[in-house]
Amino acid sequence: MANGRVVQTADRTIGSRQLAALLPAEVLARPGYRALADAVRTLILDGRIALHVRLPAERELADAVGASRATVTGAYDLLRESGYVRSRRGSGTWTELPEGHRPVGAHALLGGGGYSADGDPGIDLAIAAMGAPDGTLADALTWAAPRLPDAARTPGYHPFGLPDLRTAVAERFTRRGLPTRPEQILVTSGAQQALALVVSLLCRAGDRVVTENPTYANALDALRHARLRTGSIAVSDTGWDMEIAESTLRQTVPRLAYVIPDFHNPTGALMPEEERLRLLAATRRTGTWLVVDETIADIALDVPAPAPLASLAPRGGADHVVTIGSLSKTHWGGLRVGWVRATAKMITELTALRVSADMTGSVLDQLVALPLLDGMERTLPARLTELRSRRSALVDSLQRHTPEWSWQIPPGGLSLWVDLGEPVSSALAERAAAAGVHISRGARFGVDPGTFEHRLRIPYTLPADRLDEGVRRLATAFHDGVPLPPSVDRPHWVA
């Protein structure tokens, strides 16, 4: 499959035209063997070509990309030498990962364990999340402990979620302006499971879906895993172009649209109310399910926290909106508690699907989540103050170490979407990893291959000293490996 989707065919083979459609335009324009090998390796690392898939024969790929057979032979040789493919006589060339490498998405979740070549501790700038706030988790455990024995006397299966937690989530939606009943809530093991369940219920392989571009990398992985045809709506430094969005929806009539209107990941943009209304109307006209990811909606640093997008719809006009959220960003990613807000009928259908996957969520996690959710208005302000301070520290470090880069300061969220000025993101991420800094290159957030090579997402979730050291190492890797332009006269940042 092309256009940003993972290749997983019945016979585990990717055709030459399929592979050519995944390659960046600059590789097709001037197909050298090293550039071709690098492009295929990137597709494997990103998960756009699955593991243990047979690549096209050398002559077929050469014809498809307009290169000589020697060029493709050289590219395959490089991939074999580096461990990204293996060949068996008579059976072709198959994709794999070198020893010690992990599948796409897994490495970013293993942060904090990386070391540079000289043994220094690694700095994780790949995960946009903080540790648990001091004291709040312990207090929640203290509250939950005496209630656990009563829960333990039951079988412990609550596929919809603990009734008290469903009620608490529904009441919070209601306080935020979206009247919600407990039967409209399904408690999940995090927002990622919520999205996977929604996609599995509403879509079938080959369905067309639309996302923002760039967008949350793990959401893209879920859509690719479901083998969906992915279209995109561009999100730039100035936000969403709703005329293009409406045109895309009208022309493609997608089954589902996935959006992050609240402090968009990775750009940090906040969708204005007028554009939210237009998005609601456009998806309703095309019969498209609108999946709204509110995972970061509470991380409002410079503006009031937005009301749920579905609350803007006229009465009865938001039945096509599915809202997902979690406690991962406001509290702790290790507490696997998320939710889906939809019609009661859809919640019942999602729960039936969920039972086939993991039966039920952790009762202990949900008990701990109850006081955290109920006390969020009391504890969240300190969290936001800390994030503002860390955001300022990151901006200061970038201004000192990399004045040639540019960025905008978002009104909320957890990261900066940094413009490097040159398409060197992937190479920089590899050089930074050798220096013990793990960071997500821009292409991880792009729907189409080869996009956002001039961008890095840099979270401001670490303490100021770690952020400064991470930026210093990034700057060293950048300056050592990339020729700088003779002059830079654009502003360093835009408020």
Side-chain angles (χ1 to χ4, degrees), residues 25-95:
E26 58 267 23
V27 173
L28 296 175
R30 300 178 64 183
Y33 76 99
R34 289 189 182 276
L36 180 59
D38 287 344
V40 173
R41 179 189 60 182
T42 297
L43 292 170
I44 295 170
L45 286 172
D46 270 358
R48 297 176 194 271
I49 298 178
L51 298 178
H52 314 302
V53 164
R54 186 168 59 193
L55 295 176
E58 293 173 2
R59 188 181 301 278
E60 294 176 1
L61 184 58
D63 290 342
V65 301
S68 67
R69 183 174 179 180
T71 296
V72 177
T73 300
Y76 279 13
D77 285 344
L78 280 181
L79 290 168
R80 272 189 292 271
E81 291 170 8
S82 55
Y84 286 93
V85 302
R86 57 182 169 78
S87 298
R88 294 197 302 265
R89 185 178 298 276
S91 64
T93 300
W94 298 73
T95 60

Side-chain angles (χ1 to χ4, degrees), residues 184-260:
Q184 291 180 268
I185 299 297
L186 167 65
V187 178
T188 61
S189 298
Q192 187 69 12
Q193 186 193 49
L195 176 61
L197 288 172
V198 170
V199 168
S200 182
L201 176 67
L202 298 180
C203 301
R204 296 294 177 266
D207 280 352
R208 188 178 295 278
V209 299
V210 165
T211 74
E212 296 145 327
N213 190 31
T215 191
Y216 178 47
N218 290 328
L220 282 175
D221 290 342
L223 299 177
R224 291 167 184 153
H225 181 74
R227 294 180 291 165
L228 302 175
R229 294 185 296 161
T230 309
S232 63
I233 299 170
V235 182
S236 68
D237 287 338
T238 58
W240 293 257
D241 186 328
M242 286 310 299
E243 288 188 8
I244 294 179
E246 289 167 332
S247 175
T248 299
L249 290 166
R250 185 170 58 251
Q251 292 175 14
T252 62
V253 191
R255 175 69 174 165
L256 178 150
Y258 168 81
V259 298
I260 312 172

Side-chain angles (χ1 to χ4, degrees), residues 172 176 261-264 268-270 276 294-307 329-330 376 380-388 391 410-415 460:
R172 190 158 195 279
R176 295 175 58 218
D262 308 310
F263 316 121
H264 173 262
L270 179 63
R276 294 170 184 247
E294 283 197 340
T295 308
I296 316 177
D298 290 302
I299 310 299
L301 302 180
D302 301 328
V303 295
K329 306 304 184 184
T330 55
M376 187 180 295
L380 187 59
R383 187 79 151 174
L384 300 183
T385 297
E386 185 175 17
L387 279 168
R388 291 186 196 98
R391 183 183 62 180
L414 297 162
S415 57
Y460 39 81

Side-chain angles (χ1 to χ4, degrees), residues 183-184 289 318-321 341-348:
E183 55 265 33
Q184 291 180 268
W289 291 100
D319 286 353
H320 69 299
V321 181
R341 192 268 183 197
T343 64
K345 179 178 182 296
M346 178 177 286
I347 292 300
T348 299

Side-chain angles (χ1 to χ4, degrees), residues 44-47 102-111 126-127 217-218 221 444:
I44 295 170
L45 286 172
D46 270 358
R102 304 181 178 94
V104 62
H107 176 70
L109 297 178
L110 296 172
I127 298 179
N218 290 328
D221 290 342
R444 275 285 284 143

